[in-house]
Amino acid sequence: MDPLVAAIDQGTSSTRFLVFNAKTAELMSQHQVEIKQSFPKEGWVEEDPKEIMQSIYECMERTCEKLRLLNIDISNIKALGVTNQRETTLVWDKETGEPLYNAIVWLDLRTQSTVESLINKSPGKNKNHLKHKTGLPISTYFSAVKLRWLLDNVEEVQQAALSQRAMFGTVDSWIIWCLTGGNNGGVHCTDVSNASRTMLFNIHSMDWDPELCRYFDVPMEILPTVRSSSEIYGWMKSGSLAGVPISGCLGDQSAALVGQMCFREGQSKNTYGTGCFMLRNTGTKPLMSDHGLLTTVAYKLGKDEPACYALEGSVAIAGAVVRWLKDNLGIVQSSSEIEKLAAAAGTSHGCYFVPAFSGLYAPYWEPSARGIICGLTQFTNRNHLAFAALEAVCFQTREILDAMNQDSGVPLTELQVDGGMTSNRLLMQLQADILCIPVVRPTMSETTALGAAMAAGAAEGVGVWSLSPSHLPHATSEKYEPQINIDESEFRYARWKKAVQRSMNWETNEPCCNTNVTTGVGKKMNGTPWGVPPPPPHIRADP
């Protein structure tokens, strides 16, 4: 039996555990569990760290059961990789092992006033004030401002930090710490790809930056150790896979880049998940964008291997718009239904949807934007709205592709895609039409988990997966060619850009007569408040 490698894929909306054949990259078995999100206040997005871990244990055990039913010996699993939603911020108590607050999800907007204040205090009110070190604009998106909010607003976090019991981490750090023993010897680490999304990490020195930590007033002792993306961090402490090394760690978008085998400079991929993320491998030198893209660490596949960088275009809302149509408006009963509705319309009939629920990310970085639907007439129905929602994902990708082509000077001739939304064939055809280039989707769409498995299997001391080009398996794919003329595509794109302008400067922190002060803290997922007294009535946020 060929060796097997497993991967935990902990995303914003679900957790998956997948097992791959290390020689053929064939997916042997998997299990998926949805994750609840809570929205305690407008703009706030939280998840329960304990639920995240419970979902991981459940997925692991259920996948192992499925393998046994297939007569596959789970002792053939030689390594485990972790890939995760990035930027989502957790703080826990290293003595009790308990989280000190819910995980603040990357989409969360509670730090908007902090971000505006930091930008206003920076020289020239420049949101790129820290970009020379971090590759990132000052934004609600990244972990540093979320951690600052926790330190400022949650008494339990403050006390734990003062008594040196607090541990900070993104989701990967929490998972690895828990799986390697937790408060009984758990390993507190992260990898370079996740660290580079915090705004506390220097992407040139490849370590935490004391000056950045002083800027955000973050105590460095709470930070995890930064490791490469492919090395043995520790071993599974319990469950069916006890003793298996955890030897791969990549933020989800970096993992998809690896899973799509974009190892050469200039290779790119676009992942359609909760958000939408396009990464272009720029090799061993960081390339700074002049067009609103991020510079990020793509991966470092071994302690002694060089780090590789990427340009990234990040869109906050992609698959999340479908979830919103389902959960908030009840327009669709299931995510798969949107394709049927949109196909029934065949057009948005002049309706444009800008889903700026968390402001606009790349290339604008405009936290004041909010979602709008415009061009409505009495003729517009839910089918047109479904079509407009899918088009919105494609238009946002077009904006990023344009920026990437301008930054690199070498236009992309086709786009490699992956992620849950790529099973929507109408979306893929729309994307080819709006980009005016072919879109290529691998038959095996689980490239994020595959990337984590590849990093884990290739680690020194494991060595069951070869990353040399001659050993990489050939991936079969499906290609979507553009089917509309360029003039029509450009007309629709121009109308979309007009709609984007309408969405800007909607939500600012200027006081008004009915002030809704975002203060105090949220509740645990079971509804009980975290141990912090509520604010006085005169400043209490609206329920």
Side-chain angles (χ1 to χ4, degrees), residues 512-533:
C512 66
C513 52
N514 180 23
T515 307
N516 180 9
V517 180
T518 47
T519 187
V521 294
K523 294 185 175 180
K524 295 182 183 175
M525 300 291 269
N526 64 10
T528 59
W530 295 91
V532 180

Side-chain angles (χ1 to χ4, degrees), residues 107-122:
L107 284 164
D108 188 280
L109 281 179
R110 76 189 65 191
T111 56
Q112 186 179 337
S113 58
T114 308
V115 165
E116 288 176 7
S117 166
L118 289 170
I119 292 169
N120 287 333
K121 285 179 194 166
S122 68

Side-chain angles (χ1 to χ4, degrees), residues 214-484:
R214 279 195 298 275
Y215 182 85
F216 290 105
D217 195 18
V218 165
M220 291 187 77
E221 61 272 12
I222 75 172
L223 303 176
T225 305
V226 182
R227 312 273 287 267
S228 79
S229 312
S230 178
E231 61 178 275
I232 295 175
Y233 314 111
W235 288 264
M236 286 286 296
K237 269 283 171 1
S238 62
S240 297
L241 299 180
V244 172
I246 301 170
S247 52
C249 179
L250 287 158
D252 52 7
Q253 303 314 317
S254 289
L257 195 72
V258 171
Q260 286 266 31
M261 299 170 210
C262 296
F263 293 123
R264 289 197 312 277
E265 193 174 329
Q267 289 185 305
S268 307
K269 66 88 207 172
N270 196 36
T271 300
Y272 299 76
T274 299
C276 202
F277 303 88
M278 189 183 296
L279 270 72
R280 182 181 188 121
N281 188 328
T282 62
T284 54
K285 288 195 176 72
L287 176 65
M288 290 295 166
S289 171
D290 295 320
H291 299 94
L293 303 181
L294 310 176
T295 303
T296 198
V297 180
Y299 52 78
K300 180 176 159 58
L301 295 173
K303 282 185 211 179
D304 303 319
E305 294 297 313
C308 282
Y309 296 87
L311 273 179
E312 175 175 324
S314 320
V315 168
I317 304 293
V321 76
V322 181
R323 192 166 179 170
W324 181 81
L325 289 173
K326 176 170 76 77
D327 296 345
N328 293 38
L329 297 194
I331 282 177
V332 291
Q333 301 309 306
S334 67
S335 297
S336 57
E337 196 186 332
I338 193 166
E339 186 173 3
K340 290 180 201 149
L341 287 186
T347 170
S348 68
H349 214 276
C351 170
Y352 289 84
F353 187 169
V354 182
F357 303 154
S358 295
L360 288 167
Y361 282 14
Y364 303 100
W365 299 105
E366 188 48 73
S368 71
R370 286 297 179 272
I372 63 164
I373 300 168
C374 51
L376 297 172
T377 67
Q378 284 179 304
F379 183 73
T380 310
N381 61 32
R382 65 182 190 144
N383 296 3
H384 300 122
L385 198 54
F387 195 97
L390 294 184
E391 267 194 326
V393 175
C394 301
F395 286 133
Q396 291 180 103
T397 298
R398 166 76 189 267
E399 289 189 302
I400 288 169
L401 184 72
D402 285 357
M404 209 161 266
N405 286 342
Q406 287 174 290
D407 274 329
S408 69
V410 184
L412 212 59
T413 54
E414 65 176 33
L415 182 65
Q416 287 177 244
V417 300
D418 58 77
M421 285 190 92
T422 60
S423 62
N424 185 323
R425 303 174 78 90
L426 175 60
L427 176 72
M428 294 296 94
Q429 185 57 55
L430 273 174
Q431 188 68 87
D433 290 346
I434 287 165
L435 296 181
C436 306
I437 60 172
V439 167
V440 181
R441 183 182 83 91
T443 312
M444 203 290 289
S445 62
E446 300 292 350
T447 50
T448 303
L450 177 62
M454 288 164 68
E460 188 181 338
V462 177
V464 297
W465 203 308
S466 172
L467 298 183
S468 72
S470 59
H471 286 98
L472 292 175
H474 174 71
T476 57
S477 59
E478 189 176 4
K479 187 181 272 198
Y480 294 82
E481 299 280 355
Q483 289 181 354
I484 64 172

